[in-house]
Amino acid sequence: FSTAIVITEQPVSVAVPVGYSFTLRCRAEGRTPLQYQWFCQHQFVCQQIPDATKQDLPITAQQTQLYTCRINDLYRNAIFSDWVKVEVHQCVARGLPPQLWRGEPVIILNPTEQCVEVGKLLQLQCAAMGVPAPSYQWYRNGNLLEHQKKKKLWITHAKVSDSGTYLCCASNSHGEHWTNAVDVHIGEQDHPTSTLLQSPSSMKTTGKVALLVGNNRYEHHPNLMAPVTDVFELSRLLEQLGFQVVSLLD
């Protein structure tokens, strides 16, 4: 009876802004009527979700959690769906009101320029929202890096040949979005310029972070569009000045 229940549609992982509402779906076929029960896991604690006994699970994103659905038939056969991740980001897409978002990839964290000594760890990081959750592919000098398919790019022992211009493509069924391109410099450990790589001036250019907050939902006023556009324009200006920008609305 192990094949008495067949899942015909698995739920899919998503990466969404906090407060975003969506639905996880699971579909199955069996020899008898089927019963559904959803479970969630947060910080290694797995629990049954009360009253979550339908094929669709409506969610308003609050925190990052894992979800799975158990399907039973009347013969006590049971099967679990894939575990999926609902990744919740505390920021919104720059200049893009959430009600206009249809799940296409939106970059919310760009990699930053790196200066690394030979033999040291090279780490680049990006992040994107998307429904379904985006997949990632890194490139160096326009060439695809076959094994770099995660948000974080790791090269444990950097070589001079790892120098170049890096960027990442986040894609899902709605399209693709590219991060900014950043330069990575790999220098010799005993080279005189290695001390310059840690000078205060270079640290300033790679460690600047700007937090932009825009409020557009006031109790006694209609929704304002100016904060959205202001945050977008300011973030573009600050990025041109070398800042890593985090944008928040409401």
Side-chain angles (χ1 to χ4, degrees):
F1 284 95
S2 59
T3 59
I5 304 171
V6 176
I7 295 179
T8 57
E9 181 180 350
Q10 293 278 6
V12 297
S13 297
V14 301
V16 296
V18 64
Y20 185 79
S21 296
F22 63 99
T23 300
L24 290 180
R25 292 166 51 90
C26 184
R27 298 289 186 273
E29 295 177 351
R31 300 170 185 172
T32 75
L34 300 177
Q35 300 170 326
Y36 293 78
Q37 176 62 59
W38 289 89
F39 295 79
C40 67
Q41 178 178 316
H42 178 64
Q43 294 180 342
F44 305 107
V45 177
C46 181
Q47 57 188 15
Q48 182 173 305
I49 304 174
D51 301 321
T53 55
K54 293 184 170 59
Q55 295 174 318
D56 293 345
L57 176 67
I59 294 175
T60 298
Q62 297 299 331
Q63 61 183 354
T64 296
Q65 295 190 125
L66 300 174
Y67 291 84
T68 187
C69 185
R70 185 190 66 209
I71 304 104
N72 295 78
D73 67 11
L74 300 183
Y75 294 125
R76 297 187 179 179
N77 296 305
I79 190 172
F80 280 85
S81 74
D82 295 339
W83 280 96
V84 294
K85 186 176 186 178
V86 173
E87 188 175 312
V88 180
H89 295 279
Q90 297 299 316
C91 58
V92 300
R94 283 198 316 275
L96 185 66
Q99 64 267 25
L100 300 181
W101 187 50
R102 294 293 178 261
E104 65 276 11
V106 177
I107 303 295
I108 58 171
L109 176 64
N110 278 287
T112 56
E113 184 175 341
Q114 302 286 322
C115 295
V116 179
E117 291 182 352
V118 170
K120 300 292 187 181
L121 170 67
L122 167 60
Q123 178 182 332
L124 295 172
Q125 186 172 358
C126 71
M129 297 189 299
V131 180
S135 57
Y136 296 88
Q137 178 61 63
W138 287 88
Y139 294 78
R140 181 182 69 240
N141 298 332
N143 298 314
L144 183 147
L145 298 173
E146 189 170 344
H147 302 296
Q148 301 291 353
K149 297 178 180 291
K150 297 182 178 180
K151 282 185 287 188
K152 287 186 179 180
L153 176 147
W154 292 80
I155 298 176
T156 52
H157 301 289
K159 306 184 295 293
V160 173
S161 59
D162 292 319
S163 296
T165 301
Y166 286 74
L167 77 168
C168 187
C169 178
S171 61
N172 66 11
S173 54
H174 297 291
E176 62 183 29
H177 205 141
W178 296 76
T179 68
N180 294 340
V182 297
D183 292 329
V184 171
H185 308 279
I186 312 296
E188 297 290 348
Q189 285 180 316
D190 57 353
H191 196 277
T193 58
S194 63
T195 56
L196 297 177
L197 299 180
Q198 299 175 357
S199 67
S201 61
S202 67
M203 291 176 65
K204 286 179 185 175
T205 61
T206 58
K208 298 186 294 186
V209 179
L211 172 64
L212 298 179
V213 179
N215 290 318
N216 67 339
R217 292 182 187 175
Y218 290 92
E219 186 176 354
H220 300 295
H221 291 278
N223 278 6
L224 305 174
M225 288 308 297
V228 175
T229 56
D230 289 349
V231 166
F232 177 62
E233 294 299 330
L234 271 175
S235 64
R236 286 206 307 184
L237 175 62
L238 288 168
E239 284 179 343
Q240 290 171 2
L241 296 174
F243 284 79
Q244 178 181 323
V245 179
V246 178
S247 303
L248 305 176
L249 287 182
D250 298 322

